[in-house]
Amino acid sequence: MTATQVTNTDAEQGPFYVDAEAAESFGRRLLVAHNLPEEDAATVARCLVKADLRGVDTHGLQTLPHYLNRVRLGLINPRPNLKVERVTPMVGSLDGQDAFGFVVATKAMDAAIAMASEFGVGIVSAHRSTHFGAACNYALQAMDAGYIGIVFTNASKAMPPWGGRVGLLGTSPIAVAAPADKETPFDLDMSPAVAARGKIRRAARRGQPIPLGYALDAKGRQTNDPNAALDGGTVQPIGGAKGSALAMLMDVMGGVISGAAYGGDVRNHFEEYDKPQNVGHFIMAMKPDLFVSRDEYLRRMDTLAQRVHACPTAEGFDEVIMPGERERRLEAEHRRTGVPFHAKEVAALQEAAAKANLPPLPVSNAPLS
């Protein structure tokens, strides 16, 4: 299929499909054009496209024009000099210098893995960072190196503490990845909110309603209007008080202990342009064979996955799967067919490329295979 560029006449069509490698290359070129070093640009582009491949398109390449705008406004530092300062032999602190959160978290996990390789566990706490996209990127970074990865971050206020109606807590994600041998690994990336704000912004951008239960409007009423949810409204926690407590835990681990902003002080990277965000991250890598041999660990993980898959299904289900298994299937599919994008998202990417005097993103109006 010949690649085409979206024009105004076909702006209502879609989806459009983009080869994953072409998407990464496009993102990398745009980032380099905005003064990022080649290695950092590759990190950011890879993380964005990885989210798209896994079906987490709220954190994918379509967000890149927004990040670039924050670079132009001086709110994201494109050329930090990042250095993890050792607190103890197995704990480090990282000043993110207002850099791309993708770069900060990747650097932090690299250091955590290095410490874990020597001491069994490595922990890095980061402050003065920015939004780092899909948390799975960094947990998977550890898992791909043979470690268990644990990643927390805090975020700008979007959710009230349970019983309140004014946003104070973030939709701060939790990501954990643990390797297996021949079976599906454990691969969790979840928000303590019923729906991430990115899904609500996407619905608003596309002119679509949101399901009831996602959010409240500014008066604390259930709404299916994404614009009402974004205009002074709040998202809702999973499991009521339990989800609210998890969001608070992310603020403790990401913000309170790191020296980053917390308690509603993290700046909203989509709405606030007066100062950098000061996001905090908690990044941990751990050897999976600290308590049993590696062979036994892998056998036990495989047994867990086998038992999950073998569990009899409840009414309305035709299979039981591991956390992250759906995303892995989507990634395999999208690597074959191309990453799907909405026409408005492609148009924004093409506009960003034109402003930077770069070639457009090659897109197809049909799956690539």
Side-chain angles (χ1 to χ4, degrees):
M1 175 63 66
T2 302
T4 60
Q5 182 175 350
V6 176
T7 65
N8 290 334
T9 58
D10 58 18
E12 297 304 317
Q13 300 176 18
F16 293 89
Y17 296 86
V18 180
D19 174 76
E21 290 187 7
E24 277 196 43
S25 178
F26 172 85
R28 186 170 61 250
R29 289 195 302 269
L30 259 178
L31 288 155
V32 169
H34 284 75
N35 200 31
L36 266 75
E38 186 75 31
E39 182 179 356
D40 289 355
T43 294
V44 176
R46 182 180 66 252
C47 290
L48 290 171
V49 174
K50 182 72 167 180
D52 282 321
L53 286 166
R54 288 168 59 91
V56 191
D57 55 358
T58 55
H59 290 61
L61 192 67
Q62 56 90 6
T63 62
L64 183 55
H66 173 76
Y67 287 106
L68 297 178
N69 184 47
R70 292 188 71 87
V71 172
R72 290 190 293 269
L73 291 172
L75 299 172
I76 296 179
N77 174 11
R79 287 187 170 265
N81 180 22
L82 300 178
K83 183 179 179 182
V84 175
E85 301 287 347
R86 291 288 182 98
V87 177
T88 75
M90 53 186 285
V91 177
S93 177
L94 177 58
D95 180 348
Q97 301 173 16
D98 303 320
F100 272 92
F102 308 92
V103 177
V104 175
T106 299
K107 177 85 171 181
M109 184 55 86
D110 278 340
I113 290 170
M115 288 185 279
S117 69
E118 185 174 359
F119 300 106
V121 175
I123 298 172
V124 176
S125 177
H127 61 284
R128 280 217 303 160
S129 186
T130 61
H131 191 267
F132 71 3
C136 64
N137 281 303
Y138 320 107
L140 293 173
Q141 179 184 343
M143 190 181 78
D144 291 343
Y147 296 82
I148 294 173
I150 300 174
V151 177
F152 303 153
T153 189
N154 67 353
S156 58
K157 58 187 179 184
M159 181 195 304
W162 186 243
R165 66 179 179 87
V166 177
L168 175 68
L169 307 171
T171 58
S172 312
I174 305 164
V176 181
D181 188 12
K182 297 180 175 61
E183 300 293 335
T184 308
F186 179 89
D187 169 10
L188 171 71
D189 182 358
M190 60 166 278
S191 165
V194 173
R197 280 178 299 176
K199 290 185 178 180
I200 299 173
R201 291 191 188 95
R202 180 182 61 192
R205 187 171 58 249
R206 296 180 179 181
Q208 299 169 341
I210 56 174
L212 288 176
Y214 271 24
L216 304 179
D217 66 15
K219 294 184 179 180
R221 302 171 300 193
Q222 291 280 344
T223 182
N224 65 357
D225 180 351
N227 293 300
L230 295 170
D231 186 14
T234 58
V235 298
Q236 292 294 280
I238 57 172
K242 296 178 182 179
S244 174
L246 284 174
M248 204 175 298
L249 173 63
M250 297 305 98
D251 215 15
V252 172
M253 301 302 291
V256 172
I257 69 171
S258 69
Y262 68 99
D265 287 340
V266 175
R267 313 306 287 177
N268 187 314
H269 77 132
F270 283 103
E271 299 173 5
E272 296 177 283
Y273 299 91
D274 57 334
K275 61 177 70 171
Q277 287 188 276
N278 195 10
V279 178
H281 314 311
F282 176 91
I283 306 288
M284 177 176 173
M286 183 178 80
K287 282 184 177 179
D289 54 349
L290 291 177
F291 310 108
V292 297
S293 71
R294 185 166 185 84
D295 286 345
E296 184 177 356
Y297 162 80
L298 292 171
R299 178 184 61 77
R300 292 168 70 88
M301 281 298 296
D302 279 1
T303 297
L304 173 61
Q306 290 162 0
R307 291 177 179 175
V308 167
H309 289 143
C311 186
T313 56
E315 184 177 354
F317 292 83
D318 43 15
E319 64 175 341
V320 180
I321 61 176
M322 290 286 287
E325 192 164 356
R326 173 185 172 275
E327 289 79 4
R328 289 172 175 277
R329 292 174 182 176
L330 282 173
E331 179 170 356
E333 176 186 344
H334 290 157
R335 287 196 182 278
R336 292 193 306 270
T337 65
V339 175
F341 288 91
H342 189 274
K344 289 183 179 179
E345 295 160 355
V346 174
L349 291 167
Q350 306 298 34
E351 181 181 358
K355 286 180 179 178
N357 295 314
L358 291 173
L361 177 68
V363 303
S364 169
N365 56 9
L368 304 181
S369 65

